[in-house]
Amino acid sequence: MPMAGTYRIYGNDYSPYSTKILAYFRYKGIPHEWLTNLRDDDYRKFARLPLVPLVITPEPAGLQDSTPIIEHFETEFPEPPIHPSDPAAAFLSALLEEYGDEWGNKWMFHYRWTSEDDRIHSASRASGRKFKRGEGAGERMFQRLYFVGSSPQTAEQIENSFQNTIALIDTHLERRPYLMGGRPCFGDFGLAHQLYQASIDLTAGELIQSRTSNLGAWIKRMLDPRAEGEFEPLDALLPTLEPLLEQDVGRLFLPWSDANAKAIAAGEEEFRVDLAGRTWTQKPQKYHAKSLGVLRRRYAEVSDRSALDPILERTGCLEWVR
C-alpha cells in the first residue's frame, strides 16, 4: 500500500512522457512511487486509456496525459516555478513544450524503430530478451511509424530536423544550464525527455554524442533537475533561442500542426502539407489537433503581447498561433 500523501506514477522507462513526469515530480519534491507493472489492479482501475504515464493521487484519483498532469500539479505545487514571470517568455516556454511533445516525438520514434539495428537494440532492451536479425524485432512499432509521420518520404525531413535542432539547442546551452536560464521551464520538460530517449538509442544517441558538446549534460540534468539560478531576461535568451524558433518551430512544426488540425476537422484520412519547400504526407493525429487548440488559447490569454508578437513574427510562428 502507498504511504499517505504519496502519489503513484505508473510509467515506462522508455516512454518520454513517463520520464518527463518523473523528472517533474523530482523537481517539485512531490512524494511519489515509480511503478512499471501495468498489470496492477490499480492501473487497470484508474487508466482511462491503456497509456502511460498514469498518476494516481492519494484520494485516490487517476490523471493521464503528461501536459495536463503538469498543469494540474502546478496549481498545487507552484514552487519552484516552471513558468517565467515574463508573459512572453512563459508563452515561448509553452510553445517549446508543445513542440517537444508533438514534433520531438517524431524524431525519437523514427530513429528508434526505422532501422533493423535500432529496432533490435530497442526491443531487446525493453523486453530483456536478446533479439537477432530476421526475428522481426520491434515489428509492431515499425508498422506504426506512418501514424506518427515517419515514412520513406518524410525520413530525410525528420532526420534533418533532428540534426539541425540538436545543434541549435547545443549552441543555446553553451551559456546556461536550461533553456530559459538557471532553472528548468515548461519547455525543458517537453524537449529534454524526447531527446533523453533518443540519446539511449543507437543511431540518435551516436549523433547526439558525436555532434554536440552541451546537450548530453542538459539531458542528464533534466532527469533530476534542480534550480541553479533564476530565469534569464528574454533579451539575453533570444540570440540563440530565435534560430530554433525560426528554423524548426515556425517552418516545420507549426505549419504541420495547423494542417493536421484542418485535416481532422475535415474528416480526412490523409493530409499533405508543404514544409519548407517539401511535401509531407501522413494520417492526421487527433490529439495534436486538440493540443494546438490549447496552445492557441494560451496565446489568446496573454494580455500584453507587445513583446511577444514581434518575436513570433520574426520567427514565422505568429500566423499559426493566432
Side-chain angles (χ1 to χ4, degrees):
M1 292 292 292
M3 295 177 59
T6 298
Y7 295 81
R8 287 172 285 165
I9 307 171
Y10 281 90
N12 185 312
D13 293 325
Y14 307 116
S15 155
Y17 305 108
S18 296
T19 58
K20 170 186 173 183
I21 291 302
L22 179 59
Y24 175 80
F25 270 62
R26 286 172 172 169
Y27 180 58
K28 291 288 182 169
I30 302 171
H32 62 275
E33 292 180 86
W34 174 247
L35 304 166
T36 58
N37 184 3
L38 304 189
R39 296 185 179 89
D40 285 355
D41 289 342
D42 277 354
Y43 176 81
R44 298 176 186 226
K45 177 180 178 181
F46 288 100
R48 291 176 287 107
L49 296 170
L51 301 172
V52 289
L54 165 71
V55 175
I56 301 179
T57 69
E59 287 77 16
L63 301 169
Q64 285 185 287
D65 190 343
S66 66
T67 299
I69 287 172
I70 288 177
E71 291 173 332
H72 170 85
F73 282 100
E74 275 301 290
T75 64
E76 295 191 18
F77 300 91
E79 297 295 332
I82 64 166
H83 299 302
S85 59
D86 178 346
F91 178 79
L92 295 178
S93 170
L95 174 57
L96 291 172
E97 193 268 349
E98 171 78 356
Y99 165 68
D101 270 6
E102 313 303 343
W103 188 260
N105 187 249
K106 297 183 187 306
W107 307 326
M108 189 281 295
F109 207 89
H110 169 81
Y111 277 109
R112 179 168 285 181
W113 302 111
T114 296
S115 78
E116 187 176 15
D117 284 346
D118 277 289
R119 291 199 301 275
I120 289 172
H121 177 264
S122 299
S124 298
R125 180 183 59 197
S127 68
R129 173 200 163 190
K130 182 63 177 176
F131 284 91
K132 299 177 181 178
R133 282 184 166 273
E135 287 190 300
E139 187 63 28
R140 182 176 65 87
M141 304 304 283
F142 178 72
Q143 296 300 325
R144 290 185 58 196
L145 282 166
Y146 184 69
F147 292 92
V148 300
S150 172
S151 67
Q153 181 188 21
T154 63
E156 186 176 355
Q157 292 164 286
I158 293 172
E159 292 171 10
N160 286 344
S161 168
F162 174 78
Q163 293 169 36
N164 185 51
T165 298
I166 63 173
L168 291 169
I169 297 176
D170 194 60
T171 298
H172 182 67
L173 292 171
E174 284 179 359
R175 298 188 176 186
R176 54 193 57 88
Y178 300 103
L179 293 176
M180 291 281 174
R183 57 181 59 210
C185 68
F186 205 11
D188 286 284
F189 288 96
L191 266 170
H193 288 274
Q194 301 292 343
L195 292 172
Y196 163 64
Q197 294 296 331
S199 75
I200 61 175
D201 291 337
L202 288 180
T203 303
E206 172 58 28
L207 288 167
I208 289 172
Q209 184 175 4
S210 63
R211 299 192 183 188
T212 66
S213 303
N214 309 298
L215 199 67
W218 171 65
I219 290 169
K220 183 177 180 180
R221 195 177 297 123
M222 279 302 300
L223 295 177
D224 190 5
R226 308 291 171 88
E228 301 178 24
E230 301 301 324
F231 292 121
E232 291 181 38
L234 197 51
D235 287 348
L237 299 168
L238 291 179
T240 49
L241 189 60
E242 279 198 6
L244 172 62
L245 295 171
E246 177 184 3
Q247 294 182 37
D248 223 61
V249 180
R251 292 203 319 151
L252 300 178
F253 168 59
L254 287 175
W256 170 84
S257 194
D258 179 73
N260 176 76
K262 288 176 178 175
I264 290 290
E268 298 174 357
E269 292 294 319
E270 186 177 83
F271 72 95
R272 297 186 179 193
V273 59
D274 179 89
L275 299 182
R278 298 190 60 178
T279 300
W280 179 287
T281 304
Q282 74 167 96
K283 293 179 69 68
Q285 296 174 270
K286 185 177 293 186
Y287 179 81
H288 300 335
K290 177 182 176 182
S291 63
L292 176 62
V294 172
L295 182 69
R296 285 171 169 164
R297 287 196 296 274
R298 193 185 295 272
Y299 169 79
E301 291 167 0
V302 180
S303 57
D304 181 359
R305 297 193 285 270
S306 59
L308 176 61
D309 279 358
I311 299 168
L312 297 176
E313 180 71 43
R314 288 195 300 269
T315 57
C317 297
L318 185 58
E319 66 176 299
W320 308 110
V321 299
R322 273 180 166 164

